[in-house]
Amino acid sequence: MPVCPKCSQPDGVMKAGFVRGRQRYFCKGCAYHFTEAKPAVPERKRYQATLADVARAVGVASSTVSRALNGHADISPATRQAIQEAARQLDYHPNFLAQSLKRRETMTIGVVIPDIERPFFATAVSGIQDVATAAGYRVMICQSKESYEAEVSNVQALIANRVDGLLICHSRETENFDHVKEPARRGIPVVHFDRVCNEVNSAKVILDDRQGAFAITEHLIEQGCRRIAILAGPPSLLISRQRQAGYLGALRKHGLPTSEELCAHINFRTESAVAALDAWLALPEPPDAIFAINYTNAFDLLIALKQRGLRVPADMAIVGFGDEFMAMLIEPGLTTVDLHPFRIGQQAARLFLEQMTQKELFEPRTCIIPGELIIRQSSLKSRG
Amino acid sequence: MPVCPKCSQPDGVMKAGFVRGRQRYFCKGCAYHFTEAKPAVPERKRYQATLADVARAVGVASSTVSRALNGHADISPATRQAIQEAARQLDYHPNFLAQSLKRRETMTIGVVIPDIERPFFATAVSGIQDVATAAGYRVMICQSKESYEAEVSNVQALIANRVDGLLICHSRETENFDHVKEPARRGIPVVHFDRVCNEVNSAKVILDDRQGAFAITEHLIEQGCRRIAILAGPPSLLISRQRQAGYLGALRKHGLPTSEELCAHINFRTESAVAALDAWLALPEPPDAIFAINYTNAFDLLIALKQRGLRVPADMAIVGFGDEFMAMLIEPGLTTVDLHPFRIGQQAARLFLEQMTQKELFEPRTCIIPGELIIRQSSLKSRG
DNA sequence: TTAATTTACGCCAACGAATGCGTAAACTTA
DNA sequence: TAAGTTTACGCATTCGTTGGCGTAAATTAA
């Protein structure tokens, strides 16, 4: 038996249960319970000054320090000065955790995106941070890597972090949206952007795939193209259907025939893009322009055409979608639609802020960020 | 005078000072102080269940709920089941703020980078998240946008958020490093990556510019190039000096002469790259290869050469530095050094974790992530 | 020169979770 | 069956801030 820490005697000490893995004892003489010594906690020390530290240094109450530093009125100039000085000396930084706990808001917004490495999302995140930072909010970014489970766990982690708002672009896999209904139920504003979800009554920011595709197709028509092919994605993908719809709309508006043979549905891989190209080139009447709904495939086409000795845009005009900055670096420059991801991010953040200001009065709405046609060499037949 | 909320009478009520902008009153009869009604707080309600809510539902103490959900030993199976069930019913999520406050750790690491839109950093962040997430840490990302002030304010915000660690890549402007000494003093592990700071005794992850430049230059030499030019940056830039040193080292090792006329120092703009190229082409004996230390300039060169009717690599080999994925998309594919930003991020996060585990025993060290030569068409003279 | 006010603080109870300590009741053991 | 043990919990405090409420002292008004 160990000695009793009160009387320093082993007499009368007996076992008294197990508490969380540690043997407990009871000293009959002192009527005192105690446990074995802890397995020695090295205890990393954090020298973070607290309000109480500042208060002690100045000789006031911590509430006075709080009020002084937060600019409340009823603090004498002398005290305020002394407190500010001491805070600087001690290098006091308010603990956001404690503040947030007390104020019941974290001034943090959570962002869930599929993949930060994709330029579109990186730029959108930048747009979000631009607006959020200006409004005093911090941003916590999570990547789903296009996995439904990762997305759900991201959302839950953000809820547990008590973010003040949630901006989300769903993963491709996501079909069940219960995880975004929860924050909404809890009164946490949710804003969808890019890939939205109509099951949830949230504010949304989307880009207008259809209008963009329409505009770029019309541009090709204006350049004199008459047999315009489209390199689309799997029909199951919404953006693919939308962009195709814009393309078809432009053809119809200008009285051009639409044909099945000029619509290819590929999986976005280089090989399938090249295969589609070769099929088109083998036609008795090949297309004079190709609209690739994915910019990487547009690059694939440019390279493949060059290898086949065809000139762009003279023999074949090429346009892409999504103005990542390499569209400008490549030769010839690629005509695309700039989707303005930065603006999309900004708008999503603004919708969140609006919701915070208007509270219950806020009526969720959908903002459409129009794409912008960026004309470069790859489509300029008239001048090419 | 307003009525006293106790006796509902206006008699005996008198003013009693101003508290934080609101008039206060004192009812003599009731000896009761009160203030004007608040300006009606709409109070956004958050329906976040707490331990106490769960405890109430089950009819136990909140401490029991805490222990049950955290898997402590001394909870009866029946109680634990009931608690888990109730927690699920109420959709309880522990409040990380409260947890962090109590546990004095946030399980969050702060990352400061110049710009998330640059592929190198986006990928590095991904690497950090990869390791951090696996270890149960969350990541808070801040961008300095290459501004010293923004960087300082980011670091302070992260300290205020009580992050458990700080991974930082300095802005170009940063010359004073006091802001990173602070967290170190406070016991917050700091890891530098890419752009490090030697004034602080922190763990560091760097890439080996010199070795990479050496390798890629040597590769050109092996391809039969004998007059290799370098498109460097301003001599004030460390990476520029390092890469140039590697380049010079390779030339010397292979007994090739070095010449001033083959070294251009530019500001990374397209125009200055093209100007340097034209100057070289005008030489009596133009170079047969160019090493652009910045990959965007390598693209500029490829385009300019094409416009001037020169073939790559037959007439001129081109190599870049930094394997952003467009290096592969362009035609001809660009030979580069892959700097492995993902690995850099991973390693930075690992160094942080190591420091958390070893505490005071941790000895800061510097890890060098070697670059990897990626050979593509733009330099393949022997096969070209 | 009292009485009414105001100033400038202090005290203390939250916020939500974790945890040391205490203990009634159940269970063993001698 | 009485004493020793263990089980399964409850109580109360703590983390750092905030803010309602109270009040001695200073100031002003009557």
Side-chain angles (χ1 to χ4, degrees):
Chain A
M1 283 298 154
V3 300
C4 161
K6 277 270 172 75
C7 56
S8 308
Q9 294 284 325
D11 319 331
V13 171
M14 48 197 191
K15 288 193 194 169
F18 242 69
V19 175
R20 276 176 287 293
R22 289 195 287 146
Q23 180 64 59
R24 291 187 64 233
Y25 301 94
F26 180 69
C27 172
K28 273 205 286 192
C30 316
Y32 182 65
H33 280 268
F34 61 96
T35 57
E36 285 172 323
K38 275 202 212 174
V41 183
E43 193 60 62
R44 161 181 299 274
K45 282 154 221 134
R46 292 278 172 87
Y47 305 107
Q48 303 276 27
T50 68
L51 278 186
D53 294 327
V54 179
R56 208 171 305 124
V58 183
V60 295
S62 61
S63 54
T64 303
V65 178
S66 168
R67 288 193 268 257
L69 296 177
N70 287 313
H72 285 246
D74 56 350
I75 300 292
S76 72
T79 309
R80 189 188 301 271
Q81 284 253 323
I83 287 174
Q84 283 169 341
E85 177 54 28
R88 199 172 313 115
Q89 289 265 312
L90 294 171
D91 198 35
Y92 167 79
H93 288 251
N95 185 326
F96 281 168
L97 298 170
Q99 270 185 345
S100 302
L101 184 61
K102 185 73 208 188
R103 293 188 180 151
R104 326 190 95 237
E105 65 176 0
T106 51
M107 294 306 279
T108 299
I109 62 189
V111 176
V112 180
I113 51 171
D115 191 345
I116 190 73
E117 292 184 64
R118 288 176 44 194
F120 178 88
F121 294 119
T123 309
V125 164
S126 245
I128 291 171
Q129 284 206 331
D130 179 57
V131 171
T133 305
Y137 281 87
R138 292 171 289 279
V139 175
M140 188 164 258
I141 299 160
C142 302
Q143 303 183 64
S144 66
K145 293 284 177 186
E146 304 285 8
S147 143
Y148 167 70
E149 270 135 52
E151 179 178 309
V152 173
S153 110
N154 283 337
V155 170
Q156 302 212 328
L158 291 172
I159 291 178
N161 269 292
R162 298 297 190 268
V163 292
D164 290 345
L166 184 63
L167 313 194
I168 187 168
C169 171
H170 287 294
S171 87
R172 275 202 202 105
E173 275 183 24
T174 305
E175 289 175 353
N176 179 319
F177 297 94
D178 290 345
H179 58 299
V180 270
K181 288 177 191 159
E182 270 188 37
R185 243 202 317 277
R186 289 162 197 274
I188 301 177
V190 175
V191 180
H192 278 93
F193 63 98
D194 189 26
R195 300 187 198 151
V196 303
C197 145
N198 292 321
E199 281 184 38
V200 182
N201 183 29
S202 59
K204 303 178 212 302
V205 183
I206 53 176
L207 48 93
D208 194 345
D209 278 309
R210 198 164 179 151
Q211 168 265 338
F214 183 95
I216 206 163
T217 308
E218 195 162 45
H219 160 73
L220 286 172
I221 296 170
E222 281 162 7
Q223 289 296 311
C225 302
R226 286 298 170 267
R227 279 182 63 74
I228 302 171
I230 181 169
L231 197 58
S236 59
L237 203 63
L238 179 66
I239 56 165
S240 178
R241 290 202 305 276
Q242 294 279 314
R243 292 174 191 179
Q244 193 171 0
Y247 155 84
L248 291 172
L251 292 188
R252 255 183 247 113
K253 176 184 168 193
H254 290 269
L256 292 178
T258 63
S259 93
E260 270 301 314
E261 67 182 8
L262 293 182
C263 290
H265 294 280
I266 67 167
N267 61 7
F268 298 130
R269 292 253 186 75
T270 296
E271 311 86 69
S272 64
V274 172
L277 172 67
D278 284 331
W280 281 325
L281 293 178
L283 288 178
E285 203 181 349
D288 51 9
I290 304 175
F291 166 29
I293 72 160
N294 183 307
Y295 69 91
T296 53
N297 290 138
F299 294 150
D300 295 334
L301 293 177
L302 289 176
I303 294 172
L305 283 166
K306 213 166 300 177
Q307 288 169 343
R308 283 155 185 71
L310 293 169
R311 290 160 308 155
V312 174
D315 300 322
M316 181 83 79
I318 298 290
V319 298
F321 211 80
D323 188 52
E324 317 312 345
F325 88 121
M326 57 265 258
M328 185 171 69
L329 285 180
I330 211 164
E331 175 63 29
L334 182 66
T335 292
T336 59
V337 174
D338 186 346
L339 304 174
H340 289 307
F342 194 83
R343 291 186 196 165
I344 291 176
Q346 284 182 312
Q347 186 57 37
R350 279 198 212 102
L351 281 174
F352 159 74
L353 292 177
E354 218 174 281
Q355 197 159 352
M356 288 304 279
T357 314
Q358 303 183 3
K359 314 260 168 138
E360 289 73 23
L361 297 171
F362 180 79
E363 196 53 46
R365 67 175 193 277
T366 299
C367 297
I368 299 172
I369 305 293
E372 183 184 349
L373 186 60
I374 307 285
I375 299 171
R376 297 203 183 85
Q377 273 66 49
S378 75
S379 66
L380 281 183
K381 287 227 178 191
S382 42
R383 280 200 285 154
Chain B
M1 286 295 154
V3 301
C4 161
K6 276 270 173 75
C7 56
S8 307
Q9 294 284 325
D11 318 332
V13 172
M14 47 198 189
K15 288 195 193 168
F18 242 70
V19 176
R20 277 176 286 293
R22 287 195 288 146
Q23 180 63 59
R24 291 188 62 231
Y25 301 93
F26 179 69
C27 172
K28 275 205 286 195
C30 315
Y32 183 63
H33 281 267
F34 61 97
T35 57
E36 284 173 323
K38 276 200 211 176
V41 183
E43 192 59 63
R44 159 180 300 276
K45 281 152 219 135
R46 291 280 173 85
Y47 305 106
Q48 301 275 28
T50 69
L51 277 186
D53 295 327
V54 178
R56 209 170 306 122
V58 182
V60 294
S62 62
S63 53
T64 303
V65 177
S66 169
R67 287 195 266 258
L69 295 177
N70 286 313
H72 284 245
D74 55 351
I75 300 292
S76 72
T79 309
R80 188 186 301 272
Q81 283 253 325
I83 288 174
Q84 282 169 341
E85 177 55 26
R88 199 174 311 114
Q89 289 263 313
L90 294 172
D91 197 34
Y92 168 78
H93 287 252
N95 185 328
F96 280 168
L97 298 170
Q99 273 186 342
S100 301
L101 184 61
K102 185 76 217 200
R103 292 190 178 148
R104 326 190 93 236
E105 64 175 2
T106 53
M107 295 306 279
T108 299
I109 62 191
V111 176
V112 179
I113 50 170
D115 190 346
I116 190 75
E117 292 183 64
R118 288 177 42 195
F120 178 88
F121 294 119
T123 309
V125 164
S126 246
I128 291 170
Q129 284 207 331
D130 179 57
V131 171
T133 304
Y137 280 88
R138 290 172 289 280
V139 175
M140 189 164 257
I141 300 160
C142 301
Q143 302 184 63
S144 67
K145 294 284 178 186
E146 303 286 7
S147 144
Y148 167 70
E149 269 135 53
E151 180 178 309
V152 173
S153 112
N154 283 336
V155 170
Q156 301 211 327
L158 291 171
I159 291 177
N161 269 292
R162 298 297 191 270
V163 293
D164 290 345
L166 184 62
L167 313 194
I168 188 168
C169 171
H170 287 293
S171 86
R172 274 201 204 107
E173 276 184 23
T174 306
E175 287 176 353
N176 178 318
F177 298 95
D178 290 346
H179 58 298
V180 270
K181 288 177 191 158
E182 270 190 36
R185 241 201 320 275
R186 289 162 196 274
I188 300 178
V190 175
V191 180
H192 278 93
F193 63 98
D194 190 23
R195 301 189 199 148
V196 304
C197 145
N198 292 319
E199 281 184 38
V200 182
N201 182 29
S202 59
K204 303 179 211 303
V205 184
I206 53 176
L207 49 90
D208 194 342
D209 278 308
R210 197 166 180 149
Q211 167 265 335
F214 184 94
I216 206 163
T217 310
E218 194 162 46
H219 159 72
L220 286 172
I221 297 170
E222 281 162 7
Q223 290 295 313
C225 301
R226 285 300 169 266
R227 278 181 65 75
I228 302 171
I230 182 169
L231 196 59
S236 58
L237 202 64
L238 179 65
I239 57 166
S240 178
R241 292 202 303 276
Q242 293 279 312
R243 292 173 192 179
Q244 193 172 358
Y247 154 85
L248 292 172
L251 293 187
R252 255 182 248 115
K253 176 182 168 192
H254 290 269
L256 292 177
T258 62
S259 94
E260 271 301 314
E261 65 181 12
L262 293 181
C263 290
H265 294 279
I266 67 167
N267 62 6
F268 298 132
R269 293 254 185 74
T270 296
E271 313 86 69
S272 64
V274 172
L277 173 67
D278 284 332
W280 281 326
L281 293 177
L283 287 178
E285 203 181 346
D288 51 9
I290 304 174
F291 166 30
I293 73 161
N294 183 306
Y295 67 90
T296 53
N297 291 137
F299 295 150
D300 296 334
L301 292 178
L302 288 177
I303 293 170
L305 283 166
K306 212 167 300 176
Q307 288 168 344
R308 284 155 184 69
L310 292 170
R311 292 159 307 155
V312 174
D315 300 321
M316 181 83 80
I318 299 289
V319 298
F321 211 79
D323 189 51
E324 317 313 345
F325 87 121
M326 58 266 259
M328 184 170 71
L329 285 179
I330 211 163
E331 174 65 28
L334 182 67
T335 293
T336 60
V337 174
D338 186 346
L339 304 174
H340 290 308
F342 194 84
R343 290 187 197 166
I344 291 175
Q346 285 182 312
Q347 187 58 36
R350 279 197 211 103
L351 281 174
F352 159 74
L353 292 176
E354 216 175 281
Q355 197 160 350
M356 287 304 278
T357 314
Q358 302 183 6
K359 314 257 170 142
E360 289 73 22
L361 297 171
F362 180 79
E363 196 54 45
R365 66 175 192 278
T366 297
C367 297
I368 299 171
I369 305 293
E372 184 184 348
L373 185 60
I374 307 285
I375 299 171
R376 299 203 182 84
Q377 273 68 48
S378 74
S379 67
L380 281 183
K381 289 228 178 188
S382 43
R383 281 200 281 155

